[in-house]
Amino acid sequence: MLIRDLGRCDWAATADAMLAFTEARSEHTPDELWLAEHDPVFTQGVAGRAEHVHRAGGIPVLQSNRGGQVTYHGPGQVLAYPLLNLRRQGIYVKEYVFRLESAVLKVLESYGVTGHRVAGAPGLYVRLDDPFAHAALSGPADPREPFKGVGKIAALGIKVSRHCSLHGVALNVAMDLRPFDGINPCGYPGLQTVDLARLGVQTAWDDAAARLAQRLVSLLTP
């Protein structure tokens, strides 16, 4: 898998480039992994609803062809875009999402942080009271407060076109988290968003990106 570090770049231009790559690729085109850090932008998924953005604060709100609702991208966040031929690898979408989440869980573990999946809510979460505890989340979530006690540290949003994947995963490393207060992250009112820095883990963007790339390549390469 070819890894491309795009550095700090515009989200819309990157999304256009991903689509062009996917439309032009053949059955024999090698898979690629793009790593990026974006200028501030809110992106809406194909089912995104306007009411989930209640205070944009001058940050652009752009439409995306990925699944899911609204999220925020900005400096201090690692974006990983695996551009894979899933059919060639024999990976179904559900398994692909599981592997993306597993890669992030391994990266968090390498920093001593325990990540969690939440049923029905793609992405990775941490316990706010003790993000380093190894205990599983206890019991079924309260339907009135499904995200009580947890914060979201990584978001997933993918699209599959011609059996090939676009978009991917965003891991929060050391961000200005205030823009998340202007939206219902991923469509969930009251969901708190955190990053590694907020948890007390000090690391560079380059280090987090390298760890995530290593795990993704390991889990997504035949």
Side-chain angles (χ1 to χ4, degrees), residues 75-77 171-176 195-198 201-203:
Q77 182 186 63
L171 173 62
N172 304 333
V173 180
M175 306 178 67
D176 178 358
D195 58 13
L196 287 172
R198 184 68 60 90
V201 177
Q202 304 300 320
T203 188

Side-chain angles (χ1 to χ4, degrees), residues 37 46 61 99 109 116 145 151 158 162 175 181 201 219:
E37 181 181 25
V46 291
V61 182
R99 294 191 191 190
E109 181 183 343
H116 301 272
E145 296 181 275
I158 66 167
R162 298 168 58 227
M175 306 178 67
D181 294 335
V201 177
L219 289 168

Side-chain angles (χ1 to χ4, degrees), residues 62-73:
L62 303 181
Q63 188 62 43
S64 172
N65 62 354
R66 62 163 174 79
Q69 295 283 333
V70 67
T71 193
Y72 169 72
H73 300 311

